Amino acid sequence: MRCTEPAKRLFLPQPRPKGHALRDLRIPDQRHPEKAHRPDQEQPKKPAWIRVKAPTSDGYKRTRDIMKDNRLSTVCEEAGCPNVGECWSQGHATMMIMGEICTRGCTFCNVATGKPNALDVFEPGRVAHAVQKLGLKHVVITSVDRDDLDDGGADHFAQTIRAIRHRSPDSTIEVLVPDFLKSKPGSVEIVVEARPDVFNHNLETVPALYPTVRPGARYFHSLRLLQKVKELDPAMFTKSGIMVGLGEDRGSVLQVMDDMRAADIDFMTIGQYLQPTPKHHRVDRFVTPEEFAGYEKAAYGKGFLMVSATPLTRSSYHAGDDFARLRAARLQKLGRA
């Protein structure tokens, strides 16, 4: 589940200067050309439980500087995550590899859409350097969708994993990968063979909403991808998440839980959808903390080893602490606690 809070650096649409071919991703119409002609969707006022403070800490500034010095993108910034102040103040950043432009145009997501640039062969090394510099015990690596690449970027993920292992052998690694829907056979195997500690791919929403929320993806393909990871390596932790507040009902969320458990997924995340701009999918409603607690209870009852279900839950929010609990839960289940 990508973060979807509005990025603060965006400003009002402006016309592109004549003869100027470069895109300015700070301009909404150039950041999301596929959404420019969509009608505006009303953005309801956020309830008190969803509001966060602006980032100001020294830790936040240090993390920001390390990302900038290593010329790295983060999903925290590109998707405008509401938790960026808290996470970066602790030195935790989710690095987004393979550029900042996605080949998909999901209606919920604030990452820029268009034709990406060529892969940077030096990026895995820079990611590894940043992980070492930040002293991360657990790192989350995600990416844009790269339907333009034969393997969907699988080998780039594998190279990044290996580079981090070389620089920071004691760090645990979590990958949040795209669906490899248009990739050649064997792409998933490339990532699994690099042996990340957690393999995460988000279903994002319930199947009935895929045509309007995630039109470039296929629900059962994503589910099958996660099931295949377990077939390739039964010991690898798998993780997936959805957003709520998009128009789903409780029954459909419970069905997604059953589908995930049938695919032997270990860890489920559920968070509130936040509308990035008026051009994005509207917020159907704000789910209450009590409802999130009910989802958490239901998910544990269905057999997940780990569940995170709160309004501000995102895929990588508290990922390091959650991984420690996930590992402990497996050991307890195996009777080795």
Side-chain angles (χ1 to χ4, degrees):
M1 172 174 42
R2 290 196 178 101
C3 303
T4 51
E5 180 75 354
K8 300 298 187 292
R9 61 182 179 177
L10 299 185
F11 42 79
L12 294 177
Q14 298 178 18
R16 185 185 304 190
K18 292 182 179 180
H20 185 65
L22 294 176
R23 293 171 63 188
D24 188 341
L25 299 186
R26 297 172 298 175
I27 300 175
D29 284 0
Q30 294 186 30
R31 186 176 181 86
H32 298 294
E34 81 291 353
K35 297 179 178 70
H37 301 293
R38 285 171 54 92
D40 286 357
Q41 303 288 333
E42 182 181 356
Q43 300 186 80
K45 184 179 179 181
K46 295 176 193 171
W49 65 76
I50 206 75
R51 297 173 192 165
V52 295
K53 295 181 180 179
T56 58
S57 71
D58 290 340
Y60 168 85
K61 294 172 184 175
R62 177 176 178 270
T63 302
R64 179 194 60 193
D65 290 344
I66 290 174
M67 295 299 106
K68 183 178 179 181
D69 291 345
N70 286 278
R71 304 191 310 280
L72 297 173
S73 297
T74 67
V75 74
C76 320
E77 288 183 298
E78 297 305 324
C81 179
N83 304 315
V84 64
E86 178 185 347
C87 294
W88 283 28
S89 68
Q90 300 169 23
H92 299 159
T94 299
M95 294 171 217
M96 191 172 75
I97 59 175
M98 297 192 283
E100 57 183 2
I101 299 176
C102 186
T103 54
R104 303 277 177 92
C106 297
T107 61
F108 68 87
C109 184
N110 200 40
V111 173
T113 304
K115 183 178 180 180
N117 297 319
L119 290 181
D120 179 353
V121 297
F122 299 105
E123 183 177 54
R126 294 202 310 275
V127 170
H129 177 74
V131 170
Q132 184 182 49
K133 188 80 172 176
L134 288 166
L136 295 179
K137 294 180 179 179
H138 184 82
V139 59
V140 183
I141 306 296
T142 189
S143 78
V144 292
D145 278 289
R146 292 296 303 257
D147 292 329
D148 58 314
L149 301 174
D150 286 344
D151 68 352
D155 186 63
H156 202 74
F157 263 104
Q159 290 183 40
T160 303
I161 293 167
R162 289 193 289 266
I164 294 170
R165 293 274 188 235
H166 178 71
R167 283 287 193 108
S168 304
D170 294 329
S171 297
T172 50
I173 302 171
E174 179 173 329
V175 293
L176 173 54
V177 303
D179 60 14
F180 302 118
L181 179 63
K182 300 180 181 180
S183 305
K184 64 183 181 182
S187 296
V188 177
E189 286 87 343
I190 291 171
V191 181
V192 173
E193 286 170 5
R195 299 194 59 79
D197 297 280
V198 181
F199 190 107
N200 186 358
H201 171 66
N202 287 323
L203 298 183
E204 305 291 9
T205 188
V206 302
L209 293 179
Y210 262 56
T212 55
V213 174
R214 202 179 176 217
R218 300 293 180 267
Y219 176 80
F220 288 105
H221 171 85
S222 288
L223 200 63
R224 172 59 185 149
L225 181 151
L226 288 156
Q227 183 181 41
K228 188 173 185 179
V229 172
K230 279 293 191 182
E231 292 170 359
L232 293 167
D233 186 347
M236 187 170 290
F237 288 108
T238 51
K239 178 178 176 181
S240 189
I242 62 169
M243 300 168 287
V244 289
L246 284 159
E248 73 295 322
D249 58 30
R250 179 176 172 81
S252 61
V253 173
L254 296 179
Q255 182 61 58
V256 170
M257 292 181 188
D258 288 335
D259 293 343
M260 285 188 182
R261 287 304 302 134
D264 201 18
I265 293 169
D266 299 300
F267 186 173
M268 182 181 190
T269 61
I270 309 175
Q272 171 70 50
Y273 167 63
L274 298 175
Q275 186 178 344
T277 75
K279 300 295 184 182
H280 284 75
H281 193 287
R282 70 181 182 88
V283 174
D284 178 70
R285 70 188 185 95
F286 287 105
V287 178
T288 66
E290 291 75 21
E291 289 176 274
F292 276 104
Y295 281 138
E296 179 182 289
K297 183 177 180 180
Y300 274 122
K302 292 177 183 296
F304 288 95
L305 288 178
M306 182 70 196
V307 182
S308 178
T310 72
L312 288 174
T313 288
R314 298 295 184 266
S315 292
S316 54
Y317 188 43
H318 294 163
D321 293 339
D322 285 345
F323 176 70
R325 286 193 285 269
L326 178 65
R327 189 159 47 183
R330 173 178 284 177
L331 291 174
Q332 184 175 25
K333 184 178 180 179
L334 295 173
R336 292 157 52 188

